[in-house]
Amino acid sequence: MVDIDSETLFNGAAAVIATIAVFVFVLNVDLGGSPVSKAAITVLFLAGIFAITQRTDDRQLALLGYGVIVVSVVVLFFDVVNTFDLGNEATVLGLLVIAAVLFALRTRFDEHNRLLTGRQTAYLLGALAVLTAVILVTDVVTGGLTYELQPKSQVEFVESPRGDVRAASVVVTNPTPLPEPVETPTYAVCLAGDWSEHRPAADPGHERPPIRAHLNVQDGYNEHVMGLSSKTYPATLYLDAANTTGETFPIERTDGCPDDDSGSPFIAIYEGDENDPRVYAV
């Protein structure tokens, strides 16, 4: 039976809890800013653990600390790969670099199982603390992404009476030097004017069904805009209506859904409520 004393138990428990904390923070916590800010906080936390390993005479504690750092670095690496969708080639290359660094570092341990002196560790921790502070301040002060909806003047239905056609573009601009996640506003669409001749035919014994329309911004999944750059995403219109083949309808940018149900039909696009996406029926 393995003899585990209280010191071993507490050291092991601390290492496990620290590793779980990094897992949860990296994979589940959303700070609402740049992923670089979260990565910087994680690296600073791991630097603190590294500082402990360099100042202790307990070889067991140092070993467990190194374990927390190695596992956490791998978790952080995979989070970066997933966040920026770097692909399999970059994943393999990154893992090989991490492995090479680990092999290189193991030859630099001194007789006390340390890599740096106490003074060098203090300088490293201080430099990382300053860098993290600069990143966080930059992330907060420079603000987030700006979104501009640029609707087309009109939309034409060439063949299918229903389907997705491009009705607008959303230009996302990043004024900060840090990459930022894309979270486009909810843009709604509704039909104004007289659309009576475009309502679908009714089944026998039923009322004519309404026309349904909605706008979808094709901004993908887990998109980011790099620092001081911009991206443009198409916004497509789905229109479930009759007698639209060959028809052209004007598009207007409005502050809300117009109440006008007379005159020539047109399509209104506006920023809607994210909790109640517009599916407008006439």
Side-chain angles (χ1 to χ4, degrees):
M1 184 175 181
V2 179
D3 184 17
I4 300 178
D5 57 19
S6 58
E7 184 177 356
T8 301
L9 175 63
F10 278 79
N11 285 344
V16 171
I17 292 172
T19 305
I20 293 174
V22 173
F23 264 74
V24 174
F25 180 75
V26 170
L27 301 179
N28 296 313
V29 175
D30 182 8
L31 299 178
S34 173
V36 175
S37 295
K38 186 167 72 171
I41 294 173
T42 304
V43 171
L44 181 60
F45 174 75
L46 296 180
I49 295 179
F50 178 75
I52 294 175
T53 64
Q54 302 307 288
R55 290 180 172 273
T56 182
D57 293 325
D58 187 340
R59 296 179 66 88
Q60 181 189 80
L61 179 60
L63 175 63
L64 291 172
Y66 289 141
V68 172
I69 294 171
V70 171
V71 173
S72 299
V73 166
V74 173
V75 171
L76 182 60
F77 169 75
F78 275 105
D79 181 67
V80 171
V81 168
N82 180 66
T83 297
F84 296 105
D85 194 20
L86 299 181
N88 292 331
E89 293 81 2
T91 302
V92 173
L93 179 61
L95 290 175
L96 290 176
V97 170
I98 293 175
V101 170
L102 292 177
F103 276 120
L105 287 178
R106 73 179 182 84
T107 64
R108 297 183 59 85
F109 287 114
D110 61 16
E111 65 275 11
H112 300 293
N113 207 29
R114 295 169 183 162
L115 292 167
L116 300 176
T117 65
R119 176 172 295 183
Q120 290 173 330
T121 303
Y123 287 155
L124 175 63
L125 187 60
L128 289 175
V130 172
L131 178 61
T132 300
V134 170
I135 291 174
L136 294 178
V137 170
T138 301
D139 195 9
V140 173
V141 171
T142 54
L145 302 179
T146 60
Y147 301 87
E148 181 185 2
L149 178 66
Q150 298 179 345
K152 298 175 65 176
S153 60
Q154 61 186 23
V155 62
E156 180 180 5
F157 292 87
V158 179
E159 298 178 356
S160 176
R162 68 172 69 178
D164 291 326
V165 294
R166 185 162 182 166
S169 298
V170 177
V171 180
V172 186
T173 303
N174 184 4
T176 81
L178 305 174
E180 297 282 349
V182 175
E183 296 180 0
T184 54
T186 300
Y187 295 107
V189 61
C190 72
L191 309 179
D194 184 7
W195 285 79
S196 57
E197 66 176 286
H198 299 290
R199 292 184 63 180
D203 294 330
H206 295 82
E207 295 183 358
R208 295 178 68 183
I211 300 174
R212 301 192 180 278
H214 65 80
L215 193 72
N216 181 33
V217 180
Q218 307 288 335
D219 55 359
Y221 169 75
N222 208 19
E223 280 282 306
H224 288 76
V225 179
M226 295 296 106
L228 305 176
S229 63
S230 64
K231 282 186 178 181
T232 300
Y233 299 97
T236 56
L237 170 70
Y238 173 82
L239 182 67
D240 184 5
N243 306 319
T244 58
T245 302
E247 293 288 335
T248 299
F249 300 102
I251 298 177
E252 293 186 14
R253 178 76 159 92
T254 61
D255 294 329
C257 184
D259 295 328
D260 184 14
D261 59 358
S262 61
S264 299
F266 68 93
I267 299 167
I269 298 179
Y270 59 96
E271 189 170 336
D273 183 357
E274 63 180 6
N275 296 320
D276 185 23
R278 168 66 68 166
V279 180
Y280 189 74
V282 298

